[in-house]
Amino acid sequence: GQQLNQSPQSMFIQEGEDVSMNCTSSSIFNTWLWYKQDPGEGPVLLIALYKAGELTSNGRLTAQFGITRKDSFLNISASIPSDVGIYFCAGRTSGTYKYIFGTGTRLKVLA
Amino acid sequence: NAGVTQTPKFQVLKTGQSMTLQCAQDMNHNSMYWYRQDPGMGLRLIYYSASEGTTDKGEVPNGYNVSRLNKREFSLRLESAAPSQTSVYFCATQSADRGFRNEQFFGPGTRLTVL
């Protein structure tokens, strides 16, 4: 089935560093969602994007809807240990109820 | 306001046994979804229900059936469990149908092992 290409797959960073990750698709999307999943829990919605070029922040997190509408980016500034987890992107095309999910970026923060 | 709830949280089955995973939401959303999550595979859609009374197959429907009991509840049934169905199952609901803004919200998951 179709899935988004999410990168990197995993990353180790030092506490205080900034983090960047992205998702790319062969399809044009009209909505991008970013989730975080902690071990043993369900994904929690972080940011929703609805327009090409849109830049939205949620605390230290900032996400952008790529202008080609085929990609999206998530940045985390000044990472802290509780940022550890798996970050997923999800995209939706116009006229469908269904989202396609990326395979996730596993983030580990070294104190 | 519990959001999306799932029961049970954990389950172990033997091959060939049947069981039903329950999902309920108090968010008044029309659309509900069942996903499975396997290592390295992300979330894959099993079935979804765009509204009460309708259900449709997703990406990986084989071996599963669903029932949209009412607006609040959407259940997933395994009629004859197989080891390949060992996975974590998530239920999700979605705001605004076919609208401009629609976001999915997930339950805590059911961790299923089939021996």
Side-chain angles (χ1 to χ4, degrees), chain B residues 34-51:
Chain B
W34 276 105
Y35 294 90
R36 60 178 289 171
Q37 185 177 40
D38 301 297
M41 298 290 291
L43 288 155
R44 293 185 293 169
L45 183 64
I46 304 171
Y47 271 94
Y48 68 103
S49 171
S51 62

Side-chain angles (χ1 to χ4, degrees), chain B residues 4-100:
Chain B
V4 183
T5 57
Q6 292 183 237
T7 55
K9 199 165 178 63
F10 301 94
Q11 184 70 50
V12 179
L13 292 177
K14 294 181 180 178
T15 298
Q17 287 185 317
S18 62
M19 78 160 295
T20 299
L21 282 65
Q22 306 286 354
C23 175
Q25 54 110 353
D26 61 5
M27 306 177 79
N28 200 33
H29 290 167
N30 283 329
S31 301
M32 297 185 73
Y33 304 77
W34 276 105
Y35 294 90
R36 60 178 289 171
Q37 185 177 40
D38 301 297
M41 298 290 291
L43 288 155
R44 293 185 293 169
L45 183 64
I46 304 171
Y47 271 94
Y48 68 103
S49 171
S51 62
E52 186 178 352
T54 68
T55 60
D56 286 285
K57 295 178 180 179
E59 182 186 351
V60 288
N62 291 345
Y64 305 95
N65 283 300
V66 291
S67 295
R68 183 72 182 270
L69 304 170
N70 47 55
K71 188 172 184 177
R72 290 188 64 248
E73 298 171 289
F74 189 36
S75 62
L76 179 71
R77 183 160 179 84
L78 287 70
E79 290 291 350
S80 178
S84 61
Q85 294 178 304
T86 293
S87 188
V88 183
Y89 292 86
F90 288 102
C91 176
T93 70
Q94 185 162 306
S95 58
D97 306 311
R98 291 194 179 274
F100 177 58

Side-chain angles (χ1 to χ4, degrees), chain A residues 1-3 30-31 33 35 37 39-43 45 48 50-51 88 92 95-99 101-103, chain B residues 31 33 35 37 40-45 48 50 59 90 94 97-104 106-108 111:
Chain A
Q2 184 182 3
Q3 288 195 320
N30 68 347
T31 305
L33 305 178
Y35 291 87
Q37 186 177 24
E41 305 291 331
L45 183 64
Y50 300 100
K51 285 178 60 176
F88 289 99
R92 185 182 73 92
T96 177
Y97 294 106
K98 299 180 287 185
Y99 278 90
F101 284 80
T103 51
Chain B
S31 301
Y33 304 77
Y35 294 90
Q37 185 177 40
M41 298 290 291
L43 288 155
R44 293 185 293 169
L45 183 64
Y48 68 103
E59 182 186 351
F90 288 102
Q94 185 162 306
D97 306 311
R98 291 194 179 274
F100 177 58
R101 293 183 179 270
N102 48 16
E103 299 156 2
Q104 284 196 5
F106 285 83
R111 283 139 189 87

Side-chain angles (χ1 to χ4, degrees), chain A residues 1 3 7 14 16 24 34 38 42 49 54 56 60 65 78 86 89 96 104 107 110:
Chain A
Q3 288 195 320
S7 65
Q14 293 285 342
T24 58
W34 283 93
D38 291 326
L49 302 163
E54 180 180 357
T56 298
R60 294 178 295 104
F65 195 138
I86 304 176
C89 61
T96 177
L107 180 64
L110 305 173

